[in-house]
């Protein structure tokens, strides 16, 4: 079994992370929505007011997986939460324990930071991921739906 290393992402990882984001988008059939560049990602992860954080997994010096996350807040708990935006492991490295290791790493980080929740979304057709997450102790919330406003609708709602 190949040894993997988990570590916080650095600015030098942004090109590799964007490559993995593109692979994820192809898998999810959403590649037409990807506009992120290494420069924009670097600004959001490492700029003056970071919007998110990332952890990468390396094998043989190559970034083969990532998890991108940020802090949210639960009004009911009165505590911060950790929200996993995306987790992706390249197909050649699936089944190696990397996905589990990334989730465990982020759960430990959530505990360390005093978070009341660790949560994320999963596509309803991704049965493999749903089974994997449930095996890890996650509850898939059947009664909740994501609401999203983007582009012209966001500008209109914001008064633009």
């Amino acid at each position: 079994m190949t040894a993997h290393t988990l570590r916080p992402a650095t600015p030098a990882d942004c090109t590799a992370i964007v490559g993995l984001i593109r692979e994820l988008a192809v898998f999810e059939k959403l590649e037409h929505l990807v506009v992120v560049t290494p420069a924009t990602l670097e600004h959001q992860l490492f700029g003056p007011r970071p919007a998110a954080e990332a952890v990468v997994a390396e094998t043989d010096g190559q970034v083969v997986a990532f998890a991108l996350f940020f802090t949210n807040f639960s009004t009911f708990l009165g505590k911060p939460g950790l929200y996993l935006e995306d987790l992706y492991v390249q197909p050649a490295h699936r089944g190696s324990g990397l996905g589990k290791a990334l989730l465990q790493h982020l759960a430990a980080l959530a505990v360390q930071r005093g978070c009341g929740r660790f949560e994320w979304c999963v596509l309803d057709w991704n049965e493999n991921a749903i089974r994997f997450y449930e095996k890890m102790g996650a509850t898939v919330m059947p009664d909740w739906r994501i609401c999203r406003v983007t582009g012209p609708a966001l500008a209109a709602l914001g008064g633009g």
Side-chain angles (χ1 to χ4, degrees), residues 64-133:
V64 299
F66 81 99
L68 193 139
F69 59 98
F70 54 89
T71 300
N72 62 8
F73 189 80
S74 169
T75 55
F76 285 13
L77 297 177
K79 290 184 171 187
L82 198 88
Y83 187 85
L84 173 62
E85 179 65 23
D86 280 315
L87 185 151
Y88 180 76
V89 177
Q90 287 183 319
H93 299 278
R94 292 183 189 151
S96 69
L98 265 181
K100 181 178 181 179
L102 284 164
L103 285 175
Q104 289 173 325
H105 178 83
L106 294 181
L109 193 60
V111 170
Q112 175 189 344
R113 293 180 180 182
C115 294
R117 293 180 177 163
F118 173 34
E119 56 192 355
W120 59 92
C121 294
V122 60
L123 290 166
D124 62 358
W125 56 261
N126 194 343
E127 290 294 331
N128 288 337
I130 291 168
R131 281 193 304 275
F132 172 69
Y133 295 146

Side-chain angles (χ1 to χ4, degrees), residues 144-158:
W144 291 86
R145 299 290 184 265
I146 298 169
C147 298
R148 180 175 291 163
V149 182
T150 64
L154 177 58
L157 183 60

Side-chain angles (χ1 to χ4, degrees), residues 4-29:
H4 301 288
T5 303
L6 297 186
R7 61 172 176 77
T10 68
D13 296 317
C14 288
T15 297
I17 294 170
V18 168
L20 294 173
I21 290 169
R22 291 186 189 288
E23 289 182 32
L24 172 61
V26 168
F27 172 75
E28 292 182 346
K29 299 170 181 53

